[in-house]
């Protein structure tokens, strides 16, 4: 094979990402609407949106919670909450922690959750123990649950949870991020691939949901509680006033 045939280029990745984003936007249109319905109902009932992702899926939680242009009544849950808020030793954190189902209950206990709150959980594989157990617990407690995952990747994996179930099995609404098995998109000679897409498409879905939630609040004649950038004039004052409405129920800075 000639060298030109084995070269991967940024332009190739852009083409794949663009095509994948269009496919996800079109195929998930209805599911985005249903997720927005669920979240808008919770926000209108003075609920908070809790977002949780492990590994690179934590980026999804950051898109949902505390972002300029995003909803103020949002809270990010992370594995490091076990240390920062729960007093666990720092060495508990590691790449295999997301496979431990037992941490889910402690994370839920540490979160400022009320019965009217809703959850958005992200996991590309949808099979790791902590995430599956957390989804099971959220469902058991009666909260609405939106899951963002890769249908292809999850479908080719065995669950790592004792129940044999996966994240999508517990969700009220499941959104497919369109990522392929293994996440990376451009094959390499000799095996493997480069150019992961799940964080990009998950961010797209998160922002689409946010926009649709705001559209529903506006249609109901309500002023959406939306962040301004903290780096523009008046941003801090605007944001602090809105955050005060949810004191003790949303967390920032961890």
């Amino acid at each position: 094979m000639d060298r030109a045939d084995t070269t991967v280029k940024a332009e190739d990745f852009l083409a794949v990402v663009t095509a994948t984003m269009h496919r996800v936007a079109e195929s998930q249109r209805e599911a985005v609407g249903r997720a927005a319905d669920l979240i808008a109902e919770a926000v209108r009932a003075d609920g908070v949106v809790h977002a949780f992702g492990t590994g690179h899926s934590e980026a999804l939680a950051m898109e949902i919670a505390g972002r300029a242009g995003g909803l103020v009544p949002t809270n990010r849950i992370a594995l490091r909450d076990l240390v920062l808020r729960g007093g666990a030793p720092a060495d508990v954190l590691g790449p295999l922690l997301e496979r431990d189902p037992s941490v889910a209950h402690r994370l839920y206990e540490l979160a400022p959750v009320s019965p009217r709150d809703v959850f958005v959980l992200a996991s590309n594989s949808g099979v790791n123990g902590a995430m599956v157990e957390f989804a099971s617990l959220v469902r058991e407690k009666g909260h609405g649950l939106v899951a963002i995952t890769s249908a292809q990747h999850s479908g080719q994996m065995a669950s790592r949870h004792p129940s044999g179930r996966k994240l999508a099995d517990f969700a009220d609404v499941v959104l497919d991020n369109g990522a392929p098995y293994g996440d990376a998109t451009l094959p390499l000679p000799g095996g493997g691939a480069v150019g992961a897409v799940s964080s990009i498409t998950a961010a797209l879905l998160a922002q689409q949901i946010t926009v649709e939630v705001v559209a529903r609040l506006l249609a109901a004649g309500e002023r959406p509680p939306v962040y301004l950038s903290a780096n523009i004039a008046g941003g801090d004052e605007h944001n602090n006033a809105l955050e005060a409405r949810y004191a003790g129920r949303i967390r920032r800075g961890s």
Side-chain angles (χ1 to χ4, degrees):
M1 184 179 293
D2 138 18
R3 181 184 177 88
D5 295 327
T6 65
T7 300
V8 292
K9 308 181 191 68
E11 291 85 353
D12 298 334
F13 181 60
L14 175 61
V16 170
V17 168
T18 302
T20 304
M21 288 177 69
H22 281 294
R23 185 175 72 251
V24 168
E26 184 59 35
S27 66
Q28 302 306 296
R29 187 187 308 275
E30 181 185 355
V32 165
R34 288 188 286 114
D37 288 339
L38 190 67
I39 293 171
E41 181 181 358
V43 171
R44 293 189 68 200
D46 195 38
V48 164
V49 184
H50 298 276
F52 176 42
T54 62
H56 285 91
S57 291
E58 188 177 348
L60 180 281
M62 296 176 72
E63 287 292 325
I64 294 287
R67 177 134 198 188
L71 296 167
V72 173
T74 51
N75 181 60
R76 177 159 48 101
I77 296 170
L79 289 174
R80 61 183 169 275
D81 291 349
L82 298 170
V83 176
L84 297 177
R85 308 189 189 283
D91 61 8
V92 73
L93 300 176
L96 299 183
L97 185 61
E98 67 179 356
R99 299 185 183 182
D100 182 358
S102 69
V103 305
H105 293 262
R106 183 60 175 149
L107 287 171
Y108 184 90
E109 290 169 1
L110 291 169
V113 179
S114 74
R116 56 192 179 277
D117 294 348
V118 67
F119 285 76
V120 178
L121 305 184
S123 170
N124 192 56
S125 70
V127 301
N128 283 316
M131 185 60 67
V132 176
E133 183 71 12
F134 198 93
S136 172
L137 182 59
V138 164
R139 193 59 181 262
E140 177 189 317
K141 298 290 187 180
H143 302 286
L145 172 56
V146 175
I148 299 179
T149 190
S150 164
Q152 184 180 125
H153 190 118
S154 189
Q156 295 185 44
M157 288 285 290
S159 174
R160 290 172 171 156
H161 188 270
S163 70
R165 301 178 75 182
K166 302 177 184 180
L167 169 61
D169 296 330
F170 296 96
D172 296 288
V173 182
V174 179
L175 293 115
D176 179 12
N177 66 25
Y181 179 72
D183 202 354
T185 57
L186 301 178
L188 295 173
V194 66
V197 296
S198 65
S199 296
I200 298 171
T201 53
L204 170 67
L205 290 169
Q207 293 297 336
Q208 286 186 309
I209 291 169
T210 298
V211 169
E212 288 295 325
V213 170
V214 168
R216 283 152 175 74
L217 296 177
L218 289 171
E222 300 183 12
R223 185 179 179 86
V226 171
Y227 277 111
L228 293 177
S229 170
N231 298 308
I232 65 173
D236 285 343
E237 294 79 5
H238 170 91
N239 296 339
N240 291 341
L242 287 175
E243 287 183 341
R245 292 165 47 184
Y246 303 95
R249 302 176 59 205
I250 60 176
R251 294 167 173 165
R252 299 292 179 259
S254 65

